[in-house]
Amino acid sequence: MTIDKALKDKGLSDAAASQLAVGHTALIKKMRMPAKGEKRYNVVALQKLAEVLELEFYFGPPRETGTVYTTQLGHDDFDVILRLDARLAAGAGVENGEVSYEGALAFCRKWLNEHNISPSQACLMRVSGDSMCPMLRDDDVVMIDQRKTTIRNRHVYALVDIDGSSRVKRVELVDNEMIILSSDNPDYPTEMRRGPDMNRIRILGEIVWSSHAW
């Protein structure tokens, strides 16, 4: 994914993204300016910009870091994403014992690339419960992008809660002092994690796709 596409996806201007990354608005502007001689960039600043835009900071073309299973249907290439034999609780947490793979689904590589999803760093799991209805229903399959572990407020994440249970919730970080876990179903109360409990929550990844069970 290019910087321009990442900016568009996040709805950020050059100045806004630069401000979030390094505290001033000129970083991307300077990158775009033509230069007669050699351009020099602060590596730390570029790393912070990559974090803001959720891009990987590295040298070279896009690459996969793990095993990717591929197939072809017609003229389109597909990548296979593995499904875990485990569940995410939409409600009270669910304990998953030893986790194994129970199958896989194939996704069009073009679609994955458009959404900046790495097949080797994504997985599929099922949802249990109705706390995230109507967005997610009991027995739905969801895709977890395991690279996206930085909390973006009100986005939906798979997480391991303080009691070790696996859950799916909307997550909000408030002033680095409190994490709020909320449900889409109004019958379920909002939960809060403060102090040491904040650091005991482990974000598994953001939910980036789902399929409804019928």
Side-chain angles (χ1 to χ4, degrees), residues 19-213:
Q19 182 70 39
L20 288 171
V22 295
H24 63 76
T25 61
L27 176 60
I28 298 179
K29 180 180 179 180
K30 290 180 179 179
M31 293 172 62
R32 297 188 189 279
M33 290 176 59
K36 294 181 180 179
E38 179 184 357
K39 281 189 175 183
R40 295 186 179 182
Y41 299 109
N42 184 304
V43 172
V44 174
L46 295 179
Q47 288 175 322
K48 289 181 178 179
L49 178 62
E51 290 175 4
V52 168
L53 298 179
E54 293 190 16
L55 296 174
E56 186 179 0
F57 181 76
Y58 65 96
F59 296 98
R63 67 198 189 282
E64 290 292 344
T65 57
T67 302
V68 178
Y69 301 93
T70 63
T71 187
Q72 189 174 59
L73 299 175
H75 298 290
D76 293 324
D77 290 323
F78 286 74
D79 291 324
V80 172
I81 296 182
L82 300 175
R83 191 173 72 194
L84 297 178
D85 181 19
R87 287 183 175 261
L88 297 168
V94 61
E95 295 280 353
N96 290 304
E98 185 175 345
V99 175
S100 59
Y101 294 110
E102 65 170 0
L105 292 176
F107 291 82
C108 181
R109 185 176 299 165
K110 180 181 178 182
W111 181 86
L112 292 170
N113 289 338
E114 287 174 350
H115 291 80
N116 193 29
I117 297 171
S118 168
S120 67
Q121 298 178 62
C123 66
L124 303 169
M125 293 179 69
R126 287 193 180 275
V127 171
S128 292
D130 64 352
S131 76
M132 293 303 291
C133 285
M135 179 182 176
L136 299 174
R137 299 198 293 260
D138 184 47
D139 216 35
D140 282 357
V141 175
V142 295
M143 183 190 298
I144 304 167
D145 188 336
Q146 296 166 298
R147 296 181 303 173
K148 295 183 178 180
T149 58
T150 300
I151 294 175
R152 295 193 291 165
N153 284 348
R154 300 294 299 164
H155 285 237
V156 180
Y157 292 90
L159 60 97
V160 177
D161 208 346
I162 58 177
D163 60 356
S165 62
S166 300
R167 310 182 75 187
V168 56
K169 292 292 177 186
R170 292 195 183 277
V171 181
E172 186 172 359
L173 177 62
V174 181
D175 297 329
N176 289 317
E177 295 180 354
M178 175 174 60
I179 290 177
I180 298 175
L181 307 178
S182 60
S183 304
D184 287 358
N185 185 337
D187 292 338
Y188 288 79
T190 297
E191 303 175 42
M192 301 178 189
R193 304 288 182 264
R194 292 185 173 92
D197 284 346
M198 290 177 59
N199 296 323
R200 294 171 60 194
I201 290 179
R202 179 162 60 94
I203 302 295
L204 300 176
E206 186 173 343
I207 304 300
V208 292
W209 174 90
S210 67
S211 68
H212 281 308

